[in-house]
Amino acid sequence: EEFTKLQKAVEEVTADSASNELFKNFRDLQITLQQKQAQGEEITEQEMMDAQATAVAAQENPKILAMLEAEMGLSQIIDEVNRVLIKPVQSLYESM
């Protein structure tokens, strides 16, 4: 169910050119900043301001917001499944 919600939300963002472009800009900016951090490069104040402005614009877009919320819902389910799967493995080591 959560995957279906995310799939529908992604389709709605993709179908709306303005939302799609805004999300792509948001995602590309995040990736660029993460790469700079990983390489030890300093992020400028202007880059931070641009990132904040893009994030606010993305979160104010109802279609993008719905997609991000659906992604979080799916992520929570995946986290729970992961915890259930890992528990027996952890139990093996706890018995040592």
Side-chain angles (χ1 to χ4, degrees), residues 1-3 5-6 8 21 23 30 38 45 49 55-56 73 80 96:
E1 182 181 334
E2 296 301 322
F3 178 80
K5 286 180 187 177
L6 177 58
K8 182 179 178 188
E21 188 66 30
F23 180 73
Q30 280 185 318
E45 188 173 332
M49 289 172 52
V56 167
E80 182 61 29
M96 295 176 80

Side-chain angles (χ1 to χ4, degrees), residues 50-64:
D50 291 345
Q52 289 175 338
T54 303
V56 167
Q59 291 172 352
E60 288 178 348
N61 180 296
K63 291 178 182 177
I64 294 173

Side-chain angles (χ1 to χ4, degrees), residues 6-22:
L6 177 58
Q7 187 175 31
K8 182 179 178 188
V10 167
E11 289 170 358
E12 289 182 15
V13 169
T14 303
D16 179 30
S17 60
S19 295
N20 193 27
E21 188 66 30
L22 178 57

